[in-house]
Structures are given as structure tokens and as C-alpha cells.
Amino acid sequence: MWLFLGIIFSLGMLIPGKHSLKLQYDGDQVFHVVPETFQQVQHLQHLCSTLLLDLWKPQLSEDIWAGEDLHIRVPAPLVQEVKDSLDQHMISYKVLIPDVQELVDQRVPKERSSHRQVPEGYVYTQYHPMEEIYQWMTQIQESNSELVTQHYLGTTVENRTMYYLQISQPSDKAKKIIWMDCGIHAREWISPAFCQWFVKEILQNYKSDPKISRFLQNLDLYVLPVLNIDGYIYSWEKDRLWRKNRSPHMNGTCYGTDLNRNFNSSWGSIGVSYNCSSEIFCGSGPESEPETRAVAQLIEKKKSDILCYLTIHSYGQYILTPYGSTTEPPSNSEELMDVAKKAAAALQGKYGTSYKVGSTSLILYSNSGSSRDWAHTIGIPFSYTFELRDQGTHGFILPPEQIQPTCEETMLAVTTIIDYVDQKYFPDGAVMLTSSSLGLSLCLSVVLIWTLS
């Protein structure tokens, strides 16, 4: 009976909405458990598997370990049964979120303005649906046409257009690229919020901030505000906790591929599922999803110029380095770690928020097919995953009042990394000379010598 209820309620409860059915999570709770013994681990793995509980951290029951945090969403009809089971096995727990739906209702804006928001009036301290983000991208380009261009990247499963923004100071000098994407997982709303904040801060401060001014002389910024557009829209309209894209599988009986298990880096080898109902379903093959292919094709084309690949997620407060599929460190592991530690220190300096730093496989869990690992394996030297706030108090449902502090501190970390990359490849603010600039330099030298003689 409980297995049947687990299947029904692990997906939330469907209730009629004004225009469509919308998943509700009334009475669902999120538990925080730290198992102490191997026997407790075994019981928790059995409980999660048989009741099909929604694991928020880690994503696989096999990754439950003694002494490590476990966050699980328990559907309302199973809450008492799970509590009794934990008590019987003397497993301590605390309730992180006493009512998931109540938290969702508090965080989703009830009314949205029908008026188009101009960049000057755009509210960066609230979450925006995809329609508004599309409008923002167009308007940010129009208002900053000397610096920003919007480029077509590809189309999604549901045939929506993917665009990225390129921030580039006009120059005849050859420049390198920093890539940043947000929103690969639909429910992680703080991620697209940060990409928008990042663009705003660069455009507002590049003339007055010497660090930004310097690295924009040498580096172009490519920003993809929402990678998983279909999933993001679905998380607004149907299911706040949706993670994957919206590709249909098994004749439409289940939907979605985890795009961060779909890249061609040790694809399907560890930390994934081949069950299309799973949150970490890796797809039918590497780059099986159009969103993954769109990103991969652009990055492959530009890889000789890309110095740094940043992908923004939530939650947990981590800066993660390659690799997730092996504990064997990359060749530049020491440098990757040093830079990440500097970034975490800069972040902590703002509000005291503490981030863990390390490779995914060593400090979080094993996974394969991630964009971060793939980027590093094709030759991009600096590749990081950010897992933003918090550590589970709100989880994926981070309140809007935390957008600003989260973005402010993350901005410090990201610009620390970009500044390091800039100074490494362009020491003393030097820029690579093109033939025209080299010719001008030689002419000036000849004139100077002639004058002095």
C-alpha cells in the first residue's frame, strides 16, 4: 500500500488551477538526516527506494553515507510513517521545511505586471518568468548596444529559442572568452537571477570599477541566462520543483532528461539513472537533448578562445572543480583549488557565508555527463560549478529577499575568478597585439627615435 502511495504522492498532488492542473505539495515536509551507522544508511536507502521519496541531497540513494547530510522531501500522506520508521531505527532527524507548499506559495509572486519592464525599472530582487527574461535580454541589448549583443544559440525540445548575451568592448585586439550559464536545472531559480544580476553589475560598473574595466579589455563575457528554458517555464506554470528538461520518453509516459548528466564526459558511467522517471535520467545518449547540443556546439567551436567555464546551480554553498566521475584530479587541480579558495574567501567577506571548495567526487557525490567536467576535458583550463545558497533551510525555494545578498556575494567570487584568469593570461594588463596595433607601435617607436636623435 505504501509503495502505491509513494508512487502517487512523490510527484505531489494535482489540483485544478485557473488554466491548468498544477502540482501542489500541501503538507509535504523536508527532513534533514545524518545517518551515524552503516545499518542506518541501509535503512534510509531502503526507505527512499521503496517509498520513492524525493532526494534533494544527494540525488541517489546509493550516495547516502554515514556522517553526511541527507535532505529528503516526504509527501504528506507518508510523513507519519517515515517519522515512525526513523524513530524505530533510532535515526535522528529534524524537519527543515514543515510545509513545502506554504513555502512555495510565499515565494511565487501572486500578480505579475502586464507592462514591459525597461532595464532601468527591472527589479533584480525578484524572480522573473521566462517571458520577462526574454524581454529583459532584448532590452538590455537595445540599451547597451555599444557593448551587448544577443545571439541565437539553438532551440529547445518544445521549440523555444535559446539566446545568449555577449558583452564585449569594441576593440581590434584578439580577445578570449569567459562562459557562464544559469538555469540548467529548472527549479534552481536563484541561478537565472544571478546571471541577470551579473550582467547588470558589469554594465553598470565597467567604467568605474578598475577590475571590470581591465578584464573587459581582454575578455568577452558570454552569458546564457536560462539554459533549460522549457523546464524553467514548467517550474513556473505546473511544478515548482521540476528539475529536468521536457523531452518525452516511453511514448510520453515520462518526461525530462537531466541536462547536467547529458554532456559527453564519461556519459552514463556513474551517478546517473537510465530510468526516465528519475530526476537524474541521463538521456538516451550523450548530447541526446537539443539544449545540450546547442551549448556543446558553440563551446566546441569557440573552445580555443574560452579560458573559463562557469555554470551556476543551487543549493548547498559549494564551488566545485572537476571531476565528478573520478577522484583522479585534473592536471591543474592545485591551481583550480587555489583560485576557488580565493573566490570563496572573497564571497565570505561580504556576509560571512561559508562555501566548501573541492572536486565534486570528493566533497559532494559522484556524477558523470556534467557540463563542468566536459568543458575541462575538451581543453578549457578553468571550469567551475557554483552551488549557491542555502544549505537546506529553504533548499530550492530560496526566498526573494535572499536574491540580493546571494548575488552580491557571488559576484565577488565570480569576478575574483575572472580577474585571476585575466591576470594569468594578460599579465600587467597587457593585451595581445594584432598586426595593426603592432604596426602602430613600431611607427611610434621610429618617430620617437628620430625625434631624440
Side-chain angles (χ1 to χ4, degrees):
M1 177 183 176
W2 287 122
L3 177 57
F4 172 74
L5 284 174
I7 293 169
I8 297 298
F9 290 106
S10 66
L11 300 175
M13 182 175 286
L14 286 166
I15 69 163
K18 184 176 179 182
H19 301 295
S20 61
L21 293 176
K22 190 166 187 175
L23 279 168
Q24 300 287 300
Y25 296 96
D26 296 279
D28 289 14
Q29 297 188 345
V30 176
F31 288 13
H32 176 211
V33 185
V34 182
E36 297 175 355
T37 66
F38 177 65
Q39 289 73 23
Q40 290 183 352
V41 167
Q42 283 186 312
H43 179 69
L44 286 164
Q45 288 174 334
H46 175 74
L47 199 64
C48 291
S49 299
T50 55
L51 296 183
L52 300 179
L53 301 180
D54 180 15
L55 274 76
W56 283 15
K57 180 184 180 183
Q59 264 100 40
L60 276 175
S61 59
E62 301 96 274
D63 290 324
I64 299 173
W65 299 98
E68 298 292 331
D69 290 335
L70 169 65
H71 298 167
I72 45 176
R73 179 179 63 84
V74 182
L78 302 179
V79 165
Q80 194 55 52
E81 173 77 2
V82 170
K83 286 182 176 179
D84 291 344
S85 181
L86 294 176
D87 289 339
Q88 287 167 13
H89 289 80
M90 300 181 70
I91 299 174
S92 299
Y93 65 89
K94 67 177 180 180
V95 177
L96 282 176
I97 302 175
D99 190 324
V100 172
Q101 189 59 44
E102 187 177 313
L103 197 60
V104 169
D105 290 340
Q106 292 170 5
R107 306 313 173 204
V108 178
K110 298 288 188 296
E111 300 284 336
R112 304 298 303 182
S113 170
S114 59
H115 301 292
R116 292 167 66 88
Q117 297 190 44
V118 296
E120 294 77 16
Y122 196 78
V123 181
Y124 289 90
T125 54
Q126 69 182 30
Y127 296 116
H128 292 271
M130 195 64 220
E131 180 186 3
E132 291 179 11
I133 297 174
Y134 271 134
Q135 292 172 2
W136 169 82
M137 292 178 76
T138 300
Q139 290 161 3
I140 210 83
Q141 177 193 237
E142 291 172 353
S143 301
N144 302 272
S145 56
E146 76 288 354
L147 214 65
V148 181
T149 49
Q150 180 175 259
H151 297 274
Y152 171 84
L153 182 63
T155 55
T156 67
V157 168
E158 296 179 344
N159 208 34
R160 294 185 174 96
T161 306
M162 301 170 69
Y163 298 107
Y164 67 93
L165 296 176
Q166 178 179 345
I167 303 176
S168 177
Q169 276 198 320
S171 173
D172 61 353
K173 302 175 181 70
K175 293 198 281 186
K176 296 295 186 180
I177 296 168
I178 305 293
W179 170 270
M180 181 191 297
D181 64 61
C182 292
I184 195 171
H185 290 143
R187 62 192 178 188
E188 299 167 8
W189 287 7
I190 187 60
S191 169
F194 175 70
C195 261
Q196 294 166 79
W197 185 280
F198 176 80
V199 170
K200 167 188 75 82
E201 286 294 302
I202 294 295
L203 296 177
Q204 285 181 354
N205 298 308
Y206 75 96
K207 291 180 180 177
S208 58
D209 187 311
K211 181 190 292 186
I212 297 174
S213 178
R214 185 178 61 246
F215 66 58
L216 276 185
Q217 293 176 38
N218 307 314
L219 303 168
D220 287 348
L221 308 175
Y222 286 32
V223 182
L224 177 59
V226 184
L227 196 161
N228 180 10
I229 294 171
D230 296 343
Y232 186 70
I233 291 172
Y234 195 81
S235 74
W236 274 81
E237 295 181 353
K238 298 290 181 67
D239 179 359
R240 175 63 184 86
L241 296 178
W242 188 259
R243 169 183 167 92
K244 303 180 287 180
N245 78 345
R246 291 294 300 163
S247 57
H249 303 280
M250 303 285 290
N251 296 317
T253 57
C254 61
Y255 283 81
T257 293
D258 183 345
L259 298 176
N260 204 42
R261 302 292 185 277
N262 193 237
F263 283 80
N264 193 12
S265 174
S266 302
W267 178 86
S269 61
I270 192 169
V272 301
S273 172
Y274 294 102
N275 177 356
C276 61
S277 296
S278 169
E279 296 281 32
I280 50 172
F281 174 55
C282 58
S284 57
E287 297 178 18
S288 61
E289 308 307 300
E291 298 91 345
T292 312
R293 285 197 304 275
V295 172
Q297 287 169 5
L298 177 69
I299 301 300
E300 280 280 4
K301 181 180 175 183
K302 302 277 189 181
K303 67 182 179 183
S304 62
D305 290 324
I306 300 175
L307 298 178
C308 182
Y309 188 106
L310 301 171
T311 180
I312 312 298
H313 295 241
S314 75
Y315 65 94
Q317 297 174 198
Y318 296 95
I319 303 176
L320 300 170
T321 65
Y323 295 107
S325 58
T326 176
T327 55
E328 188 70 27
S331 57
N332 64 335
S333 176
E334 187 175 339
E335 185 178 26
L336 282 167
M337 284 292 294
D338 286 345
V339 176
K341 287 175 182 175
K342 287 184 174 73
L347 186 154
Q348 188 169 12
K350 185 68 176 174
Y351 295 110
T353 310
S354 178
Y355 271 55
K356 290 183 181 178
V357 173
S359 73
T360 307
S361 58
L362 290 177
I363 70 167
L364 196 53
Y365 47 68
S366 296
N367 65 5
S368 55
S370 73
S371 63
R372 176 206 57 247
D373 284 5
W374 171 80
H376 195 271
T377 58
I378 65 167
I380 296 171
F382 293 89
S383 184
Y384 296 102
T385 300
F386 275 73
E387 296 282 358
L388 304 185
R389 291 191 189 184
D390 55 13
Q391 292 183 311
T393 304
H394 304 95
F396 301 113
I397 317 168
L398 195 70
E401 54 265 30
Q402 288 202 36
I403 294 175
Q404 181 168 338
T406 301
C407 290
E408 286 177 344
E409 66 191 12
T410 308
M411 190 74 193
L412 294 172
V414 166
T415 53
T416 295
I417 293 172
I418 297 173
D419 185 52
Y420 177 89
V421 171
D422 176 46
Q423 301 219 31
K424 176 182 171 70
Y425 290 92
F426 303 92
D428 303 319
V431 292
M432 290 180 291
L433 293 173
T434 62
S435 57
S436 59
S437 59
L438 181 60
L440 177 62
S441 177
L442 288 171
C443 288
L444 290 171
S445 298
V446 169
V447 170
L448 181 61
I449 292 167
W450 181 81
T451 303
L452 291 173
S453 62

